[in-house]
Amino acid sequence: MSDVKTYVAGHKSPDTDSICSAISFANLLTQMGTPATPVCAGEANKETTYVLNHFGFEHPQIVKNWEEFAPEGGNLYLTDHNESKQIIDGYKSMNMCGVVDHHRIGDFETDGPVFMRLEPVGCSNTIITKLYMENNQEIPKDIAGLMLSAIISDTVLFRSPTCTPVDEQIARELAQIAGIDVEEHAKAMFRAGSDLSGKTPNEIFYMDYKKFNADTIDFGVGQITSMDQGELDDIKASILEYMDSVKEEQGLDYVFFMLTNILDETTHLLICGPEAEGVIERGFGVTPEDKVAILPGVMSRKKQMIPNLLNAFQQ
Ligand code: MN
Ligand code: MN
């Protein structure tokens, strides 16, 4: 038996696909007779940490520089990247063995022949799932959960333009193996990964805020997008209250704030100003309740919110 170690690594600034693909591909190599160790380029983000904990995986070891981490060298596979700027530093000291990826080809260059598996799909773990199947390898339940999570993450639950029918089909199969409800799991993941918690109403309000003008009317419209309705509901009351002070301080006639749920494709619009209810009724044909108007299908401030508001002000 060779004592050369084999590693699988994802890209710098790791996301869920990057870390989970290193684990799932290392497991495939191990099942097929080449013991391999997953590593990652940095600390897992909140979403990935939730996924690792949920399926009982430890955080892979962090490698900042290969020459320091493995001075004796070793075999290296890359998942979810191939461009040199995204590879962990010092990788030239390693024996590059292969790549599994779904990104464009950058400047990838090797000394010898390598295994390459590249497909234009929505997630590296979609490709890795196919590799398990093609090699007649059983997919362990916890690995299925990881791979499913990565597909959910990369495709924003099948809503990203990069998502293909193959990604969704494979995700549904993985969900069966893992015994997971896809939609419920996605919500829990996105909630865990959200970064609104800990921010003040002031910080949230100005994350994406613009002022507009319609003849003599000055108004401001802020927007927050999220995949988690619970998170949006949590900030509703404090943002509504904060909007009064924005209106005062900036001398505005109206202030609006869009709480946009990307998954449901719905905006809860918070309103502030004299007879703002009437403005919304004229612009959207919807009657707000308690200063909140529910606007199904409204996602874009530029293409939907502003034209309808301008129209309503002019009536
Ligand atoms: Mn990635
Ligand atoms: Mn990816």
Side-chain angles (χ1 to χ4, degrees):
M1 223 183 105
S2 141
D3 52 3
V4 178
K5 277 196 144 192
T6 298
Y7 300 95
V8 182
H11 53 77
K12 290 180 179 173
S13 305
D15 54 19
T16 297
D17 187 32
S18 167
I19 290 185
C20 294
S21 61
I23 297 173
S24 60
F25 190 62
N27 181 73
L28 176 63
L29 290 173
T30 303
Q31 279 188 205
M32 293 180 68
T34 304
T37 306
V39 299
C40 57
E43 197 74 48
N45 65 32
K46 287 189 202 167
E47 178 192 278
T48 313
T49 302
Y50 172 82
V51 169
L52 291 174
N53 290 339
H54 190 82
F55 295 103
F57 287 90
E58 293 196 355
H59 194 298
Q61 261 186 294
I62 294 175
V63 179
K64 288 290 179 198
N65 187 304
W66 280 112
E67 287 166 49
E68 288 160 23
F69 183 81
E72 71 286 1
N75 295 327
L76 177 60
Y77 285 90
L78 306 180
T79 57
D80 201 36
H81 70 306
N82 69 78
E83 298 193 48
S84 62
K85 283 207 174 81
Q86 299 171 14
I87 307 176
I88 294 171
D89 293 341
Y91 68 93
K92 297 269 188 205
S93 68
M94 302 294 282
N95 174 37
M96 188 63 73
C97 291
V99 178
V100 180
D101 193 16
H102 66 128
H103 295 96
R104 70 167 200 143
I105 307 298
D107 52 1
F108 191 66
E109 204 175 74
T110 62
D111 296 332
V114 295
F115 172 86
M116 295 282 274
R117 180 65 179 256
L118 312 163
E119 288 189 35
V121 291
C123 180
S124 297
N125 273 286
T126 299
I127 306 169
I128 296 170
T129 304
K130 288 169 90 175
L131 288 171
Y132 273 88
M133 293 170 172
E134 289 164 16
N135 289 286
N136 295 316
Q137 291 296 311
E138 196 178 321
I139 301 174
K141 227 178 153 181
D142 51 358
I143 292 284
L146 278 193
M147 296 201 287
L148 166 65
S149 304
I151 297 173
I152 290 170
S153 173
D154 263 14
T155 67
V156 193
L157 190 55
F158 319 130
R159 280 158 180 79
S160 159
T162 58
C163 185
T164 70
V166 179
D167 294 294
E168 177 156 8
Q169 182 204 323
I170 282 186
R172 301 281 174 201
E173 287 177 40
L174 290 169
Q176 292 251 311
I177 297 169
I180 291 275
D181 179 297
V182 175
E183 277 69 23
E184 285 305 310
H185 181 59
K187 277 184 195 166
M189 273 174 57
F190 293 146
R191 188 172 181 90
S194 142
D195 49 10
L196 288 187
S197 54
K199 286 202 165 66
T200 66
N202 169 290
E203 287 169 321
I204 294 171
F205 187 87
Y206 286 108
M207 280 167 86
D208 181 9
Y209 171 75
K210 286 187 176 136
K211 277 198 231 179
F212 301 88
N213 169 274
D215 292 332
T216 57
I217 298 169
D218 292 312
F219 64 104
V221 183
Q223 184 175 29
I224 272 284
T225 57
S226 173
M227 290 169 271
D228 173 26
Q229 190 58 43
E231 168 178 80
L232 295 175
D233 290 340
D234 285 350
I235 61 171
K236 202 174 264 182
S238 59
I239 294 291
L240 255 181
E241 194 184 314
Y242 186 74
M243 285 162 66
D244 285 325
S245 65
V246 172
K247 182 172 168 296
E248 283 288 297
E249 281 163 24
Q250 302 198 4
L252 297 169
D253 298 296
Y254 296 92
V255 178
F256 301 98
F257 196 83
M258 303 169 69
L259 301 168
T260 302
N261 184 324
I262 306 169
L263 288 187
D264 299 347
E265 300 183 3
T266 293
T267 288
H268 286 213
L269 182 70
L270 312 184
I271 63 175
C272 172
E275 291 174 41
E277 281 82 0
V279 174
I280 299 307
E281 271 170 22
R282 290 198 296 279
F284 296 90
V286 165
T287 308
E289 269 178 48
D290 296 330
K291 303 201 170 188
V292 182
I294 297 175
L295 308 174
V298 174
M299 310 273 283
S300 167
R301 175 172 52 195
K302 184 169 63 183
K303 290 186 185 151
Q304 296 170 297
M305 186 57 58
I306 300 306
N308 281 18
L309 285 175
L310 292 177
N311 194 16
F313 286 136
Q314 278 155 9
Q315 281 178 37

